[in-house]
Amino acid sequence: MLQNIATPAKDPILSLSIEYRADDRDNKVDLGIGVYRNDQGLTPIMKAVSDSVKSIAAEQTTKAYVGLAGCEVFNQSMVDLLLRDTSAYERVSAIQTPGASGALRMLADLIKSTEPGATVWISNPSYVNHQPVMEAAGLNVRHYTYFNPLTKQVDSEAMLADLANAGPKDIILLHGCCHNPTGADIRLSDWIAITELALKNGFIPFVDIAYQGFGDGLEADAAGLRFMADRVPQMFIATSCSKNFGLYRERTGAAMVIAGNIEIAMNAKAKLLQMARATYTMPPDHGAAIVGRILNDEQLTLSWRTELDEMQKRLVGLRTNLCEALRNETQSETFDFIEQHKGMFSVIGFTPEQMASLKSEHGIYAVGDGRINIAGMQEKHIEYIAKSVASVANK
Ligand code: LMR
């Protein structure tokens, strides 16, 4: 049997990290996987997280099972963070999941179990794991136009024209903020237009929000999602604490279902729990316990928000400085779009061959689709990155 397994294609992001580690050049720079690093090149444990860990260690008395839905205090806190002050708050259910990818998969399984012929529309391009997760759940996948490679911004007109063709058996997967990979976000006017289309044509929005706080701040980053959740009868949400709490390895996320009323939402939750039982039974507790504690303690919440704001500001600063360095190197405004992009990533418009040159000739590791992780940079790298990008661009 086992000899018949076809060798699987490597994940383009995770395989890059392995290659990076094996490279012994001193000047190598990792702009691959979406991990935030500080100016010392470290991915810090946030102060609120280590304080929360300490108090859990001091107070926790058992490691007995928590339950299929994970930590309900955490689930409620995630709902509060995203949906407080919307009408959806009264008609949403949530379960804790192993990261946002776990949430994507559980929600995809839920969709497949209730609407087997459903099609999930994903942006072109999108997070590299979106299509594999949806297809692994047996769902059809289609793409909608998103990124304009010339302007490096969202092509709203073409996107809305595509989405106008979606109907009741369609699910539209949107990025809540900080679009991965492009860094180009839809504007509030687009959220409004997509909401109107959902109401008119009956498709269901599915929002993946994995970077809340990294774009324009915690509240601003959820504004589009909130507008939509307030108005549409049904919606799915996958959210993550990997980035905004720096809990990458703890696999901490949540899946939410917004329905016409709370009874339907709770029934969907019961179905999710049945499917979780058959998949991984229960999510890991540690990360959710940490977050639940932070978000239910005023001091810890303040500390977390303050540190998250600093990280967001640092990202904005890195973008500004990289743009300036690129302006100097290229004597042009070709790369000014980097400053307008949001969150960790920007697609810089390089071909896979150009990205390969960045890696082989300059030791700069970034994804072949042209995505660079701004949050992976240190100030000391900026000039080198700008010189390298300019030299590859001129070839
Ligand atoms: C990324 O896009 O780099 C991250 O979200 C890591 C992942 O899971 O792929």
Side-chain angles (χ1 to χ4, degrees):
M1 182 179 86
L2 298 179
Q3 67 278 12
N4 299 328
I5 298 173
T7 306
K10 287 187 186 145
D11 181 280
I13 296 175
L14 303 182
S15 58
L16 203 62
S17 299
I18 297 169
E19 259 186 86
Y20 175 81
R21 261 179 250 136
D23 188 333
D24 52 18
R25 281 176 284 185
D26 289 334
N27 62 345
K28 65 180 179 178
V29 184
D30 183 4
L31 306 184
I33 192 160
V35 166
Y36 175 92
R37 293 194 196 89
N38 63 18
D39 212 38
Q40 286 71 53
L42 301 170
T43 302
I45 300 178
M46 296 175 87
K47 169 94 171 56
V49 168
S50 41
D51 287 349
S52 177
V53 168
K54 279 182 212 139
S55 63
I56 290 169
E59 290 164 29
Q60 201 170 52
T61 54
T62 179
K63 290 287 183 191
Y65 293 124
V66 176
L68 287 176
C71 172
E72 291 288 15
V73 171
F74 165 82
N75 293 337
Q76 186 56 48
S77 302
M78 289 291 99
V79 169
D80 289 350
L81 212 49
L82 283 175
L83 296 171
R84 202 200 287 277
D85 299 329
T86 71
S87 71
Y89 196 71
E90 307 298 329
R91 50 188 179 90
V92 62
S93 64
I95 67 164
Q96 184 196 320
T97 54
S101 284
L104 287 168
R105 180 57 193 266
M106 293 318 296
L107 291 168
D109 284 345
L110 180 73
I111 294 162
K112 181 70 184 175
S113 73
T114 54
E115 192 61 72
T119 298
V120 179
W121 297 47
I122 65 180
S123 61
N124 181 22
S126 199
Y127 168 44
V128 292
N129 212 19
H130 275 158
Q131 186 162 352
V133 169
M134 296 304 144
E135 287 179 346
L139 293 165
N140 308 311
V141 171
R142 260 181 86 156
H143 292 89
Y144 57 88
T145 308
Y146 187 83
F147 191 59
N148 181 334
L150 295 176
T151 61
K152 311 284 189 304
Q153 300 300 341
V154 179
D155 187 342
S156 296
E157 211 176 303
M159 173 182 70
L160 294 171
D162 280 356
L163 296 183
N165 298 314
K169 288 194 177 175
D170 292 316
I171 311 291
I172 307 302
L173 186 51
L174 300 161
H175 297 229
C177 62
C178 309
H179 186 268
N180 181 3
T182 66
D185 275 353
I186 55 174
R187 287 164 306 194
L188 190 59
S189 55
D190 297 315
W191 285 97
I192 295 171
I194 300 170
T195 301
E196 281 165 6
L197 276 177
L199 292 171
K200 182 165 152 247
N201 295 0
F203 61 72
I204 304 181
F206 184 160
V207 180
D208 180 3
I209 180 154
Y211 301 88
Q212 189 189 0
F214 273 59
D216 292 320
L218 268 181
E219 305 306 325
D221 287 352
L225 177 153
R226 285 182 186 146
F227 177 90
M228 184 174 266
D230 222 359
R231 289 161 179 84
V232 296
Q234 300 189 352
M235 179 163 155
F236 303 106
I237 300 173
T239 186
S240 169
C241 301
S242 296
K243 326 283 166 168
N244 55 11
F245 285 85
L247 285 170
Y248 306 87
R249 64 175 67 173
E250 304 291 359
R251 309 310 300 138
T252 309
M256 296 177 201
V257 178
I258 297 170
N261 62 49
I262 191 63
E263 286 75 28
I264 299 174
M266 291 308 286
N267 192 50
K269 176 169 178 169
K271 184 68 189 171
L272 281 170
L273 295 183
Q274 183 196 45
M275 293 188 306
R277 176 70 169 141
T279 309
Y280 53 78
T281 291
M282 290 172 206
D285 177 60
H286 193 55
I290 293 167
V291 172
R293 205 165 264 250
I294 293 172
L295 294 179
N296 290 280
D297 178 298
E298 242 174 73
Q299 282 305 109
L300 290 178
T301 300
L302 181 65
S303 155
W304 169 65
R305 280 182 173 254
T306 307
E307 196 169 345
L308 180 59
D309 280 349
E310 284 164 13
M311 290 157 87
Q312 182 266 343
K313 288 197 174 71
R314 180 162 172 274
L315 280 182
V316 172
L318 286 168
R319 287 186 181 280
T320 305
N321 296 345
L322 180 62
C323 275
E324 202 182 311
L326 280 163
R327 242 175 263 141
N328 288 338
E329 288 301 330
T330 62
Q331 291 299 306
S332 78
E333 291 168 2
T334 312
F335 293 97
D336 276 11
F337 59 85
I338 291 176
E339 213 171 349
Q340 284 133 36
H341 286 169
K342 305 282 180 194
M344 281 188 163
F345 309 120
S346 272
V347 158
I348 58 171
F350 274 13
T351 61
E353 293 71 33
Q354 288 175 307
M355 296 310 283
S357 302
L358 267 186
K359 181 169 69 177
S360 59
E361 290 161 31
H362 303 274
I364 296 175
Y365 283 72
V367 190
D369 62 4
R371 184 188 93 168
I372 59 169
N373 177 23
I374 304 284
M377 285 175 197
Q378 295 170 247
E379 288 290 345
K380 68 175 184 194
H381 293 145
I382 285 182
E383 214 181 298
Y384 178 66
I385 294 168
K387 275 193 189 347
S388 307
V389 167
S391 109
V392 171
N394 285 334
K395 273 192 184 164

